[in-house]
Amino acid sequence: MSRAPQYSFPMLSPEETVSCLVELQIPVTVDDLLKPKAATAKRIYEGLIEHCTGTTQEELSQPKASALFALPNYALHEDSIPVIMTLRAL
């Protein structure tokens, strides 16, 4: 019986995490990590998505044309589509 591989990630201090994010050109402060707000988390995730995949937030905000026709009342979903696209990219 084989075991599934176990992965270990280093635990970084808030200062080390900020240093890593700043190297990735994602502006963040220690206070942002210790007292996170939704907007800050969104900005960090968007920066990580752009760094790792090359997909910008502007591209994530643009729904695919096929999706527009699938939604009967597109206007009701204008705000939620960019959020869903960001979550899918994660």
Side-chain angles (χ1 to χ4, degrees), residues 2 5 12 16 24 43-44 51 53 55 57 60-61 64-65 69 74 83 86 89-90:
S2 68
L12 300 177
E16 291 170 314
L24 297 175
R43 189 179 77 241
I44 292 170
H51 178 77
T53 68
T55 305
Q57 181 56 33
L60 289 174
S61 296
K64 295 189 179 6
F69 298 112
Y74 172 73
V83 174
T86 300
L90 287 174

Side-chain angles (χ1 to χ4, degrees), residues 34-81:
L34 296 177
K35 298 175 188 169
K37 292 180 175 56
T40 303
K42 183 177 184 267
R43 189 179 77 241
I44 292 170
Y45 285 133
E46 289 170 353
L48 290 171
I49 289 169
E50 185 169 354
H51 178 77
C52 294
T53 68
T55 305
T56 66
Q57 181 56 33
E58 290 78 26
E59 293 170 319
L60 289 174
S61 296
Q62 299 291 324
K64 295 189 179 6
S66 59
L68 294 176
F69 298 112
L71 298 170
N73 295 314
Y74 172 73
L76 296 174
H77 304 281
E78 283 183 292
D79 294 333
S80 63
I81 288 176

Side-chain angles (χ1 to χ4, degrees), residues 4-53:
Q6 293 184 0
Y7 300 99
S8 175
F9 297 96
M11 295 297 293
L12 300 177
S13 70
E15 292 80 9
E16 291 170 314
T17 302
V18 167
S19 176
C20 291
L21 290 171
V22 168
E23 279 184 40
L24 297 175
Q25 298 178 348
I26 301 171
V28 67
T29 66
V30 172
D31 195 47
D32 289 337
L33 298 179
L34 296 177
K35 298 175 188 169
K37 292 180 175 56
T40 303
K42 183 177 184 267
R43 189 179 77 241
I44 292 170
Y45 285 133
E46 289 170 353
L48 290 171
I49 289 169
E50 185 169 354
H51 178 77
C52 294
T53 68

